Amino acid sequence: MSKQYVPIKKNDEIDVIFEDLTHDGKGVAKVDGYPLFVANALPGEKAKIKVSKLNKGYGFGRLIDLYEKSEFRIEPACPIFVECGGCQLQHLSYEGQLQAKEKQVRDVLERVGKLENVKVHPVFGMENPWHYRNKAQVPIGEHEGGLVGGFYKQRSHEIVDMEACLIQQEENDAVLQKVKSICGEFGVRAYNEKTHKGTLRHIMVRSGKVTGEIMVVLITRTPDIPNRRKLVERIVKEVPGIKSVVQNVNTKRTNVIFGEQTNVLWGEEFIFDYIGDVKFAISTRSFYQVNPEQTKVLYDKALEYAGLNGEETVIDAYCGIGTISLFLAQRAKKVYGVEIVPEAIEDARRNAELNGITNVEFEVGEAEKVIPRWYEQGVKADVLVVDPPRKGCDETLLQTIIEMKPEKVVYVSCNPATLARDLRVLEDGGYETVQVQPVDMFPQSVHVEAVALLQRRLSH
Ligand code: SAH
């Protein structure tokens, strides 16, 4: 069979059996080895599909008739599941989701990382995989004279109103509804992206899971908000737990949500929350994990894998606001954190101070530049933790790790494909992947987070 061979034609209607799920939640069926991706299909299902698009190595199809359903197929709990697109796996039972995520991690480690028989544990799921998000952020529009807020209909700029989001902490939804209706009452107009007129672009709500503290952020096109004083007074009066009302001004014609200027309209600049015993200050723009309950599970695992006894020097590359660093600092002699965003490092230093943690040092910069410099200056890590963005670790950083020879590397990953690629490099450089623990940070969505423990091989 030649590589160019495509066994089907566009608009063909064919019967298939789905074998797998893609990383974005589509079903995969193969015709003579040629893979077809189909939305809303699950592994094990038999269906008639219509071929809609053919590329060189793969194609797409649409589901026409489902003959045999997966035992894990369920009715999506959310009435706007299809329109919204924010969750991709609500048609798969939670048990099915966890199995699929475990398989995804194992398969990609084998296929991309060439790691046969690596120990991948069953995914740590949530007891209640709903209402976990601590941050809600919705675009605001107008419909029949009133304000609406929710989500953009898939592949459009139309804003659909949403009363409840099932993965949002319930109080966030209630606050959003209230703020939306108060703004409407005071005559605030929604931003219109076509005319670049109107005021309110987005509303964001952040809440502290442990503390119950609430921050409301109004993202506006102009510095002025009609009836601002009264409007803020009403929000403060009607939102229980409110600690902070903030305005962010975004004057630009852009679909980037935030602008440069942030003003506190009432209360504090921060709200607080805890992960385990560590207290964090969260500002409007701070990066903070959106699922605090599972974050604790993930960091506990990272800490366990680090296996600290109080004598170690630890490096936390890609440290963000210092969440993992501060967790590790409680058990290490010294922790160094590096992160590229200056504001995140300011937050990290503040968070260290807030917790009276003095054995950490943070630096702004690229991990692949700062860590080699530390190494030259004589900093030698016993344990190195990385938690890179989706694109994975920079190649230079991986080479520095291989030279520096920390006893252990703990790799926290939000993208199994780049995890697999990077583990291969570290394996070839003298490390052994001992075990991998996936953690479900984003139930109902296709995302999967995993933490891997690597140990330096004795012969290297
Ligand atoms: N460990 C943190 C943040 C992880 S997200 C936490 O759990 O909260 C990944 C972080 O890597 C982001 O904060 C991003 O700003 C940062 N980053 C991206 N590229 C980087 C680079 N080249 N060097 C250092 N940090 C980088």
Side-chain angles (χ1 to χ4, degrees):
M1 189 170 74
S2 98
K3 269 200 172 147
Q4 304 294 321
Y5 173 72
V6 178
I8 40 181
K9 293 190 303 299
K10 190 172 169 179
N11 294 329
D12 276 358
E13 291 191 8
I14 52 173
D15 290 348
V16 294
I17 299 176
F18 291 97
E19 300 171 12
D20 211 346
L21 267 186
T22 60
H23 65 91
D24 59 353
K26 293 192 177 72
V28 185
K30 288 189 178 150
V31 185
D32 289 348
Y34 177 89
L36 282 167
F37 305 138
V38 179
N40 191 24
L42 296 173
E45 295 190 325
K46 289 187 186 162
K48 183 187 279 307
I49 63 163
K50 183 166 182 168
V51 178
S52 54
K53 189 169 190 257
L54 295 170
N55 294 333
K56 240 183 212 165
Y58 59 92
F60 295 91
R62 252 183 325 106
L63 205 59
I64 294 183
D65 196 1
L66 195 56
Y67 304 132
E68 234 172 77
K69 288 185 184 173
S70 158
E71 58 176 315
F72 294 120
R73 179 177 283 274
I74 55 167
E75 203 49 49
C78 177
I80 51 175
F81 167 63
V82 177
E83 277 177 286
C84 166
C87 301
Q88 303 82 25
L89 296 180
Q90 281 195 21
H91 57 309
L92 182 56
S93 70
Y94 194 51
E95 191 192 340
Q97 291 179 26
L98 295 178
Q99 285 188 15
K101 289 182 183 188
E102 178 185 335
K103 180 170 185 300
Q104 194 200 332
V105 172
R106 181 170 292 116
D107 285 355
V108 78
L109 289 178
E110 280 179 15
R111 203 178 63 241
V112 178
K114 305 281 179 278
L115 292 159
E116 307 288 331
N117 306 319
V118 61
K119 200 190 276 173
V120 177
H121 299 286
V123 182
F124 282 157
M126 295 186 81
E127 211 164 292
N128 174 13
W130 301 100
H131 300 297
Y132 57 84
R133 280 185 67 99
N134 59 9
K135 181 171 91 169
Q137 194 168 279
V138 299
I140 300 296
E142 285 180 12
H143 186 66
E144 293 176 353
L147 291 184
V148 293
F151 58 92
Y152 290 107
K153 215 169 167 170
Q154 284 205 57
R155 286 180 287 277
S156 92
H157 281 255
E158 187 187 333
I159 296 167
V160 179
D161 202 36
M162 178 180 71
E163 273 178 23
C165 169
L166 299 184
I167 59 169
Q168 218 27 268
Q169 284 181 17
E170 276 157 312
E171 56 273 32
N172 291 356
D173 276 334
V175 175
L176 267 181
Q177 294 310 321
K178 249 183 210 152
V179 173
K180 197 162 64 180
S181 92
I182 293 170
C183 288
E185 263 178 58
F186 281 97
V188 178
R189 298 289 305 266
Y191 174 64
N192 180 321
E193 59 181 7
K194 280 197 195 110
T195 59
H196 195 54
K197 294 223 165 79
T199 306
L200 190 57
R201 300 174 74 124
H202 278 80
I203 300 173
M204 174 166 104
V205 179
R206 298 189 95 161
S207 57
K209 172 92 184 162
V210 176
T211 59
E213 296 183 357
I214 303 267
M215 170 184 279
V216 168
V217 185
L218 305 174
I219 298 131
T220 61
R221 179 184 66 87
T222 50
D224 291 335
I225 307 175
N227 299 309
R228 191 182 81 191
R229 206 174 50 80
K230 282 195 185 142
L231 184 140
V232 171
E233 249 171 41
R234 268 291 286 287
I235 293 177
V236 171
K237 200 165 134 218
E238 291 201 17
V239 174
I242 187 101
K243 283 282 178 302
S244 168
V245 183
V246 174
Q247 176 187 20
N248 175 273
V249 185
N250 184 356
T251 56
K252 298 209 176 102
R253 229 172 226 249
T254 166
N255 52 18
V256 174
I257 297 178
F258 287 96
E260 296 293 317
Q261 192 192 333
T262 302
N263 316 318
V264 177
L265 301 179
W266 179 87
E268 310 293 327
E269 187 184 346
F270 303 100
I271 57 168
F272 294 102
D273 199 20
Y274 288 87
I275 299 175
D277 296 330
V278 187
K279 188 176 187 180
F280 292 95
I282 308 161
S283 72
T284 308
R285 304 298 307 279
S286 298
F287 172 84
Y288 187 68
Q289 297 279 1
V290 295
N291 185 340
E293 194 178 325
Q294 289 299 85
T295 300
K296 167 88 168 54
V297 172
L298 180 73
Y299 292 176
D300 278 343
K301 196 37 95 175
L303 193 60
E304 180 196 315
Y305 281 178
L308 304 174
N309 64 23
E311 291 305 313
E312 297 85 354
T313 300
V314 182
I315 290 178
D316 179 13
Y318 310 92
C319 72
I321 61 166
T323 16
I324 297 178
S325 316
L326 297 179
F327 239 64
L328 296 166
Q330 299 169 304
R331 306 261 186 88
K333 188 160 102 199
K334 177 86 191 224
V335 178
Y336 294 87
V338 52
E339 156 67 46
I340 203 166
V341 176
E343 293 80 8
I345 289 291
E346 273 173 42
D347 284 350
R349 290 186 179 132
R350 180 180 305 109
N351 288 330
E353 209 176 300
L354 199 61
N355 291 282
I357 295 175
T358 53
N359 58 337
V360 289
E361 216 171 281
F362 292 108
E363 192 167 324
V364 180
E366 289 164 285
E368 59 272 23
K369 297 214 172 115
V370 173
I371 294 173
R373 206 181 64 234
W374 284 345
Y375 184 47
E376 276 169 26
Q377 291 166 354
V379 175
K380 197 176 169 309
D382 303 296
V383 179
L384 200 139
V385 180
V386 297
D387 182 9
R390 289 189 62 76
K391 67 174 193 228
C393 289
D394 189 274
E395 176 71 31
T396 321
L397 176 63
L398 296 174
Q399 291 312 328
T400 307
I401 295 174
I402 289 166
E403 267 176 53
M404 195 190 255
K405 298 190 171 59
E407 204 50 46
K408 287 181 187 146
V409 176
V410 179
Y411 194 132
V412 182
S413 161
C414 57
N415 182 354
T418 53
L419 171 69
R421 180 199 69 198
D422 293 349
L423 292 186
R424 180 75 264 148
V425 176
L426 292 170
E427 288 258 345
D428 293 343
Y431 283 87
E432 183 196 350
T433 308
V434 182
Q435 50 186 325
V436 179
Q437 176 63 62
V439 177
D440 195 19
M441 300 282 277
F442 309 102
Q444 317 307 332
S445 89
V446 287
H447 299 289
V448 52
E449 194 98 8
V451 49
L453 168 62
L454 291 97
Q455 181 86 40
R456 196 157 65 89
R457 282 181 214 274
L458 287 177
S459 55
H460 274 75

